[in-house]
C-alpha cells in the first residue's frame, strides 16, 4: 500500500517527480546507473517508494532495468526520437484538429491565457542561455495542453501527455545545441493564431511542422 502524505500525495509520487526531474534536467545523464542509495539521498526517503517510482519511470521509458546492472537512465537515440516525433505528430495533430473543431469560448480563453503567460517570460536562462528556464517549460507544457484540451477524448489526451513527457529530453537537447537560433516564439504564436482562426487542418499541419523542426535539428547531432 502506498504511503500517503498531506493533500493525497504519496511518497512514491514524490520520489517519481524528484527522479524524473533529475533525468529531465540532465542531473543524471542517459546511460547513468541509478543506485538506490543515491536516489534515497536525492528523494530523502526509504527504498520502497524509490523502487515504486523506478517501476513507473521504467514503464514510461525514462529508465531501463537490466538483470545485471540494475536500473539506469534510458539512452537517447535517433530511432527513438523519430518514433516519438512521428507518434506525436499523429496523435497531437489529430487532438488539435478535433479541439479546433469542437472547442468553445472557454477553450479559446484557455489557449489565449496559456500563450500569454508563456510569452511573458524568456525561454532561456540568463546564466545559461543554452538551457531552458523551468518556469517557461511549465508554461510551455500548459500551452500545448490547452491547445488540445477540447479534443473530447480523455484517452487521446493521456497518450499526448505521455508523449510530451517522453520528448522532453530531446527538446532540451535541441535547445542546448541551437540556443535561440530558432524562432520558437513565432511558431507558438502561429499555432495559437491558426487555432483561434478555426483553421483545423492548418493548425494540425503547423503543429506537425513544429515537432518536426525539433527532430530535424537533432538529426545532425546523432549522425556524428
Amino acid at each position: 500500500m502506498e504511503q500517503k502524505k498531506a493533500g493525497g500525495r504519496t511518497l512514491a509520487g514524490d520520489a517519481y517527480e524528484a527522479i524524473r526531474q533529475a533525468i529531465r534536467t540532465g542531473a543524471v545523464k542517459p546511460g547513468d546507473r541509478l543506485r538506490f542509495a543515491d536516489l534515497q539521498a536525492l528523494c530523502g526517503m526509504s527504498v520502497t517508494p524509490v523502487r515504486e517510482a523506478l517501476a513507473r519511470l521504467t514503464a514510461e521509458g525514462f529508465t531501463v532495468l537490466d538483470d545485471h546492472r540494475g536500473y539506469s537512465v534510458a539512452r537517447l537515440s535517433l530511432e527513438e526520437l523519430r518514433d516519438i516525433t512521428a507518434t506525436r505528430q499523429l496523435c497531437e495533430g489529430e487532438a488539435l484538429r478535433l479541439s479546433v473543431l469542437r472547442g468553445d469560448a472557454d477553450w479559446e480563453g484557455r489557449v489565449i491565457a496559456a500563450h500569454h503567460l508563456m510569452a511573458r517570460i524568456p525561454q532561456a536562462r540568463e546564466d545559461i542561455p543554452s538551457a531552458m528556464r523551468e518556469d517557461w517549460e511549465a508554461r510551455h507544457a500548459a500551452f500545448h495542453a490547452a491547445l488540445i484540451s477540447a479534443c473530447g477524448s480523455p484517452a487521446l489526451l493521456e497518450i499526448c501527455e505521455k508523449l510530451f513527457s517522453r520528448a522532453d529530453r530531446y527538446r532540451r537537447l535541441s535547445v542546448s545545441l541551437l540556443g535561440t537560433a530558432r524562432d520558437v516564439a513565432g511558431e507558438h504564436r502561429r499555432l495559437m493564431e491558426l487555432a483561434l482562426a478555426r483553421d483545423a487542418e492548418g493548425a494540425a499541419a503547423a503543429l506537425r511542422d513544429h515537432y518536426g523542426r525539433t527532430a530535424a535539428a537533432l538529426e545532425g547531432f546523432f549522425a556524428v
Side-chain angles (χ1 to χ4, degrees), residues 60-136:
E60 294 179 356
F62 288 100
T63 58
V64 293
L65 176 60
D66 183 273
D67 290 339
H68 302 291
R69 297 185 68 244
Y71 287 98
S72 60
V73 180
R75 296 183 182 278
L76 300 176
S77 71
L78 179 58
E79 291 74 17
E80 183 187 49
L81 169 64
R82 288 172 172 168
D83 184 33
I84 291 173
T85 300
T87 309
R88 292 185 76 198
Q89 289 173 325
L90 178 66
C91 294
E92 292 188 47
E94 178 62 8
L96 179 55
R97 189 187 71 82
L98 291 173
S99 282
V100 172
L101 293 175
R102 299 172 177 175
D104 56 13
D106 288 338
W107 168 75
E108 291 181 354
R110 292 195 299 273
V111 171
I112 293 170
H115 182 269
H116 174 72
L117 289 173
M118 179 181 62
R120 283 185 61 84
I121 58 177
Q123 177 185 9
R125 288 172 50 175
E126 291 184 6
D127 57 335
I128 310 177
S130 61
M132 289 189 291
R133 289 173 49 146
E134 290 302 319
D135 53 353
W136 182 89

Side-chain angles (χ1 to χ4, degrees), residues 8 10 24 37 44 55-56 65 86 107 128 136 151 160 165 179 186 192 194 200-201 206-207:
T10 66
R24 290 175 65 238
R56 178 178 172 186
L65 176 60
W107 168 75
I128 310 177
W136 182 89
C151 73
C160 291
S165 184
M192 178 187 67
L194 288 168
E201 298 300 333
L207 185 65

